[in-house]
Each structure stands twice: as structure tokens, then as C-alpha cells.
Amino acid sequence: MNELESLFDQGSELMPWLADSVINLVIGLVVFFVGKFIASKVARWCEKRLLKGSVDQAVAGFASSILYALMFTGVALMALGQIGVETTSFIAILGAAGLAVGLALQGSLSNFASGVLIIILRPFRSGDFIDAGGQMGTVNRIELFHTHLKTPDNRVIIVPNSSVMNGSIVNFSRESTRRLDLVIGISYDADIRLAKQIMEEIVNADERILKDPACLIAVSELADSSVNFFLRPWVASGDYWTVRADLLEKIKYTFDERGVGIPYPQMDVHVHKQES
């Protein structure tokens, strides 16, 4: 009987502790999920405010990512404290394990440092078309560890920031003008003066081609089966691809109409018959 009373007394003492633990656990989970939701909303709100303030989208996205990470860390510590975990000792444990984690996550830390350098040095902005990290596309967003590129065929490529900063970056959108570098070949039987005149007429008739700097049209090479011309007009960066396609099409049609031949690779084979 005494043993039953002892067990009952222990159970009576355990029940309040268990009830408090469950309540604290529930409150901790509520704090975590509600805090995470609020952190996400605040980060998005800050990003929108920065964009309204004419801040570059890449910078706004990077800043909102940092803000969310800081708020999420604070929420996680609050939730752990509510559950009963000693956050002071927990932070000390995290600090002690920081070196090991840092060594294990060298790539991630390198990506973060590279992201900071991208924001500081600004080799490109949101909306620029770049070639970086072995990928080409329009910069859509810069985050803590990755840069998001959107390709012309609407694919999204996520490139690690370290890959972007450790290689060459080609920014096709930084300058307002670009030069077209075309090579136009004509047959050896064609009139060089006439071919040059036709190309000059086509270039002068296209209003999208800039007058300054002047377009260069000159013989560049006497190749195996063609006489090659350099055709190098300057255009606005946004007109680059459309002008390129239009020029090639107009040159082909006009050459055909005015009898200027465009050669294709060919080989003459001579067969010698030897009498027996």
C-alpha cells in the first residue's frame, strides 16, 4: 500500500512538470512558425520598399535575404528558449562547433563572401545580360549564396556566387552600344567594288545603324574559295540581334538580285586516265 501511495505521489509531482513541458513545447512551436512567417513577410516588405526607392533589384534581394536569415536565427533562439533550452549554453556550443561547421561548409561561406563582393563591386545589375560562371542569361536576382539567371528561352539557371566571381564576367548590357562583327564572303568571279557598294547602301538605309562611329567595310581575307569582307556597323545594344539578322538577310537577297555570287566550299577533282 505504501508503494502505491509513493507511486501516486510521484505521479502527482510529475504531472504538473509534464503539463508545463507540453505547454512550453506548443508555445515554442507556435513562436517558431509564426516568427518564421513574420520574418518572411517583413523581408518581402523591405524588398518592395527598397525597390520603390529605386534600389537595384539585385541589391534589394540580397538585403532581404540577409534580413530574413537574421530574423530567422532570432526566432529559432526564442523558440528554443521557450521550450527550456538554455540559449546561452546553446550559443556557446554553436560557437565551439563553428570552426568545424565552417570547414565543412567552405563552399557555402565562399558563396556568401562572393555574394557580398558582387553587391559591393557591382560588376552587373539586375536586368543585365551576362556570361558568368559558364552560363549566359539575364540577371534576375542575387541571393546569399546564388545568382539567378534567366535565359532567352525562359529557363532559370542558379549559379553559385563563387563560380561567378572566380571567373571572367562578360556584361553585354553595360554599354549602350555594341559593334556587329560580320564576315561576308563573295566568289572570286564577283565584282569587289559592286559588293562593297551594295553593303554600303544597305548599311546607310538602315536607321538603326549608328553614323558615329562609322561602319567599317573592307576586304579582310583572300580565302580558299571566297573573298571575305569585314562588315562592322555600330548599333544600340538592344538592337544587336535584330539588326544582325536583318543585315544578313538583306545582303543575301540583294547579292542574288544584282549577280554577286556567294560561294560555298567546293573541291575540284581531276581524274587522269593512264593508257595500259
Side-chain angles (χ1 to χ4, degrees):
M1 189 68 180
N2 292 332
E3 292 180 358
L4 291 175
E5 290 179 355
S6 177
L7 290 174
F8 182 78
D9 291 339
Q10 291 178 0
S12 300
E13 294 176 357
L14 184 63
M15 287 300 294
W17 175 85
L18 185 60
D20 290 341
S21 299
V22 172
I23 292 173
N24 289 333
L25 178 61
V26 172
I27 295 175
L29 291 175
V30 171
V31 169
F32 176 78
F33 288 108
V34 173
K36 181 181 178 182
F37 176 77
I38 294 174
S40 176
K41 290 293 184 181
V42 171
R44 291 179 183 176
W45 178 82
C46 289
E47 181 178 0
K48 292 179 180 178
R49 295 297 301 174
L50 290 172
L51 292 175
K52 287 183 178 180
S54 300
V55 177
D56 184 67
Q57 183 178 357
V59 177
F62 190 81
S64 66
S65 297
I66 293 179
L67 178 61
Y68 176 76
L70 294 175
M71 293 183 66
F72 180 80
T73 303
V75 167
L77 291 176
M78 289 174 59
L80 290 173
Q82 182 63 43
I83 293 174
V85 177
E86 290 293 334
T87 55
T88 304
S89 58
F90 185 75
I91 294 174
I93 293 173
L94 287 179
L99 179 60
V101 173
L103 293 175
L105 299 177
Q106 288 185 31
S108 297
L109 294 176
S110 176
N111 288 332
F112 175 77
S114 298
V116 174
L117 288 177
I118 290 173
I119 295 301
I120 295 175
L121 300 179
R122 306 297 295 277
F124 50 80
R125 301 172 182 269
S126 178
D128 286 353
F129 189 83
I130 66 170
D131 181 357
Q135 303 292 339
M136 295 180 65
T138 301
V139 179
N140 186 33
R141 185 180 179 88
I142 301 173
E143 295 186 345
L144 287 177
F145 304 109
H146 301 91
T147 295
H148 294 242
L149 303 179
K150 182 173 288 187
T151 63
D153 58 349
N154 211 32
R155 291 179 296 136
V156 175
I157 302 176
I158 302 175
V159 185
N161 288 333
S162 59
S163 298
V164 174
M165 291 301 293
N166 289 339
S168 299
I169 301 174
V170 181
N171 192 329
F172 297 97
S173 304
R174 176 62 63 87
E175 301 296 332
S176 59
T177 60
R178 287 183 64 186
R179 189 183 72 182
L180 281 164
D181 291 330
L182 301 178
V183 177
I184 308 297
I186 65 172
S187 64
Y188 274 93
D189 296 334
D191 187 340
I192 293 179
R193 295 185 183 87
L194 176 59
K196 186 174 182 179
Q197 178 186 345
I198 291 172
M199 286 186 282
E200 288 175 347
E201 292 173 356
I202 293 174
V203 168
N204 293 332
D206 196 325
E207 297 180 353
R208 296 169 297 179
I209 295 176
L210 305 177
K211 306 303 179 184
D212 186 23
C215 174
L216 172 64
I217 304 175
V219 175
S220 63
E221 182 184 13
L222 301 177
D224 293 337
S225 57
S226 65
V227 178
N228 294 335
F229 281 86
F230 278 142
L231 177 58
R232 294 177 173 176
W234 286 83
V235 298
S237 296
D239 295 333
Y240 182 89
W241 292 108
T242 54
V243 173
R244 185 180 188 277
D246 290 346
L247 275 181
L248 292 174
E249 183 177 344
K250 290 176 182 177
I251 289 172
K252 175 63 170 68
Y253 284 145
T254 309
F255 277 5
D256 290 345
E257 291 172 359
R258 301 177 66 172
V260 177
I262 299 178
Y264 50 86
Q266 56 186 340
M267 178 183 297
D268 293 333
V269 179
H270 302 274
V271 179
H272 300 277
K273 184 178 181 182
Q274 184 177 3
E275 295 181 0
S276 58

